[in-house]
Amino acid sequence: MILPPNQPLIFRRYIQKNVTEALEDTRVVLIVGPRQAGKTTLVRQFVSDDRPYLTLDDPATFNRAKADPVEFVRSLNKAVIDEIQRAPELMMVIKESVDRDTRPGRFLLTGSANVMALPAVGDSLAGRIEIVTLLPLSQAEITGAPGRMIDRLFAGEGPALQGSAVYGDVLLQAVLKGGYPEALRRSSASRRSIWLQDYLALVLDRDVRDIANIEQLDKLPMLMRMLSEQAGQLVNLRAHSVALGISAPTVQRYVTILERMFLLRQIRPWFSNRLSRLIKSPKLHLLDSGLLATLRDANMVNIAADRSRLGPLLESFVISETLKSLSWSETRADVSHFRTKEQDEVDLVLEDTRGRIVGIEVKSAATLRPRDFSGLQKLQEAAGEKFVQGVILHDHDRVTPHSEKIRAAPVSLLWQM
């Protein structure tokens, strides 16, 4: 799908309901997510005469906030403040303001970096702030599909599509496009690739400076390319440190910064006392499959020639779509991965607040073998009665049962259920 070039709000963002509810009972609401994900478009829906819009991307507003943050905040009754990471010192002043005037909905903030990861900021607003994550457009939002798979799987419902499955070249096109609205407005793959390259260069050059003091900023583009080649694999930062000529702790610090910019995500391993032979290293994924495809120079032609190139892209696509769904789902769940030393693995383990488990494995093949189900079977064994169900998402058009609690289903189940 190509978005019209002159239409700023095209799709209803599914987290808008969360923001509306939070503003009714919480003093500060912070929407975080990558730049160009649609945060500004969303918060403009909440602008009014008594809640003006201010952006720290505007030089005059930025300079005024930096020169006298106390006076800047004191002059505001209510406000929408965009790109708060550019002046994180405002957060302490906002804390003082909402302690004096405790009305809900006073400040609606956005951040293209996770400023709450800074200890002084996070501690200062504890109990006063609700954080909502907005990633780029999900397939549910693009297509108007339900996007309730997580809630329904935890409710014990078996995989069931609403509508025709998306598979084959149509699925591949969705993976290659990703979810950045501006990229989706480009009419060709080459134009999307140019936008994504320019986008990444801007984020790594300017936005990183707002949240961190990087000694070797020129290393970040190469690190991103190296990490893209490792997408879906266990993290091996030592190899990257040798290739870049910097220490492993420095590489880890840079990866943490890239996570705070919502460019990538490390998925921690899942543990169980029932199985001792578990891999305890995180896996790494980029949070937009279109950006990953650009970094890996993947397109329809070379994937058709070498199907193995699809695997990492599809896995990161599923991870990203699942994280997007979690942002609006009623189910609160932690995300991890499962891998044994015998190479049995499950790409996503979702564990809710009651400790119940749903496993999601991703396969790019249309045809599955019995061996493909071994990871979910091992996870079921380790989770015991806490295991609700598991599903292999693959490039197919039908739901296929494997056992009472394990099935295979089309990837589009993610948004069509």
Side-chain angles (χ1 to χ4, degrees):
M1 177 178 289
I2 303 299
L3 306 190
N6 299 314
Q7 206 169 337
L9 183 64
I10 297 160
F11 300 113
R12 176 176 65 91
R13 302 310 299 263
Y14 286 10
I15 70 157
Q16 184 167 341
K17 177 176 179 287
N18 305 48
V19 177
T20 300
E21 293 175 348
L23 288 170
E24 292 173 353
D25 58 19
T26 307
R27 287 172 262 180
V28 183
V29 178
L30 171 63
I31 302 175
V32 295
R35 186 177 283 274
Q36 293 290 334
K39 300 185 300 298
T40 299
T41 301
L42 176 59
V43 297
R44 284 188 179 275
Q45 309 308 303
F46 299 93
V47 172
S48 61
D49 290 341
D50 69 338
R51 186 187 281 136
Y53 172 81
L54 303 166
T55 176
L56 297 180
D57 275 344
D58 173 64
T61 304
F62 173 76
N63 291 334
R64 187 159 61 92
K66 295 291 280 188
D68 193 344
V70 173
E71 177 57 33
F72 181 84
V73 173
R74 185 185 296 161
S75 67
L76 301 171
N77 175 33
K78 291 183 176 182
V80 173
I81 305 177
D82 213 352
E83 302 297 351
I84 193 69
Q85 83 284 346
R86 302 208 66 206
E89 59 269 28
L90 289 178
M91 300 293 271
M92 292 293 289
V93 187
I94 288 173
K95 181 259 186 187
E96 295 174 3
S97 178
V98 299
D99 279 350
R100 289 194 306 270
D101 181 349
T102 61
R103 287 174 299 154
R106 288 201 57 212
F107 291 96
L108 175 57
L109 314 174
T110 79
S112 294
N114 187 4
V115 294
M116 299 307 292
L118 304 174
V121 173
D123 294 345
S124 70
L125 282 164
R128 306 164 181 87
I129 190 168
E130 182 163 334
I131 302 169
V132 181
T133 301
L134 181 71
L135 295 176
L137 284 164
S138 68
Q139 293 301 306
E141 291 166 324
I142 291 171
T143 63
R148 308 302 302 184
M149 184 193 78
I150 294 171
D151 290 332
R152 291 175 177 174
L153 290 182
F154 272 104
E157 297 182 31
L161 293 169
Q162 295 189 18
S164 301
V166 177
Y167 64 99
D169 284 351
V170 179
L171 174 63
L172 178 54
Q173 287 172 358
V175 172
L176 293 175
K177 289 177 181 178
Y180 284 106
E182 285 297 329
L184 292 175
R185 287 192 174 96
R186 271 53 183 178
S187 59
S188 68
S190 62
R191 293 297 301 155
R192 285 192 295 274
S193 180
I194 289 171
W195 185 89
L196 287 163
Q197 290 176 47
D198 290 345
Y199 166 82
L200 183 61
L202 175 66
V203 170
L204 295 183
D205 182 48
R206 195 194 78 167
D207 289 0
V208 168
R209 298 177 194 269
D210 289 335
I211 67 164
N213 181 20
I214 297 287
E215 300 85 4
Q216 301 183 64
L217 198 61
D218 61 309
K219 301 284 189 181
L220 283 181
M222 180 59 71
L223 177 60
M224 273 297 296
R225 288 198 172 275
M226 295 170 67
L227 294 173
S228 74
E229 293 299 325
Q230 198 182 5
Q233 301 177 25
L234 300 177
V235 175
N236 182 7
L237 298 183
R238 185 167 298 279
H240 298 325
S241 72
V242 172
L244 291 170
I246 55 180
S247 69
T250 299
V251 173
Q252 178 61 69
R253 177 170 169 256
Y254 289 1
V255 169
T256 299
I257 291 167
L258 295 172
E259 280 195 279
R260 289 183 184 172
M261 303 302 300
F262 299 96
L263 292 172
L264 54 83
R265 173 78 177 263
Q266 293 185 85
I267 305 295
R268 64 178 180 82
W270 184 83
F271 297 102
S272 171
N273 293 330
R274 298 190 184 203
L275 286 178
S276 59
R277 294 178 59 79
L278 294 176
I279 297 294
K280 299 181 180 180
S281 299
K283 291 175 70 174
L284 183 142
H285 291 279
L286 268 68
L287 285 178
D288 184 75
S289 58
L291 183 58
L292 177 59
T294 294
L295 286 168
R296 294 179 69 123
D297 193 26
N299 55 51
M300 297 287 290
V301 174
N302 56 33
I303 289 177
D306 180 5
R307 188 74 178 178
S308 67
R309 296 173 68 103
L310 175 59
L313 295 172
L314 187 62
E315 187 177 335
S316 286
F317 174 79
V318 169
I319 300 294
S320 178
E321 290 294 317
T322 303
L323 292 173
K324 293 169 186 176
S325 296
L326 278 170
S327 70
W328 66 70
S329 295
E330 294 179 9
T331 304
R332 296 281 188 175
D334 290 329
V335 176
S336 55
H337 78 91
F338 172 87
R339 186 182 178 104
T340 70
K341 294 182 178 178
E342 292 75 32
Q343 308 302 309
D344 297 307
E345 64 179 336
V346 178
D347 296 317
L348 267 179
V349 179
L350 305 180
E351 184 171 4
D352 73 2
T353 54
R354 294 161 55 186
R356 299 182 306 159
I357 297 294
V358 165
I360 301 174
E361 171 67 359
V362 185
K363 298 292 182 185
S364 59
T367 303
L368 299 179
R369 304 161 298 170
R371 167 70 182 167
D372 294 327
F373 293 88
S374 61
L376 286 169
Q377 291 168 333
K378 286 286 187 180
L379 176 63
Q380 181 177 9
E381 175 187 332
E385 62 183 16
K386 295 290 188 180
F387 186 82
V388 179
Q389 57 183 312
V391 59
I392 292 182
L393 297 178
H394 69 132
D395 187 13
H396 208 320
D397 63 343
R398 295 191 302 274
V399 175
T400 307
H402 176 73
S403 65
E404 181 183 357
K405 291 189 174 183
I406 298 175
R407 301 168 181 84
V411 170
S412 59
L413 186 80
L414 277 165
W415 60 93
Q416 289 182 304
M417 183 174 179

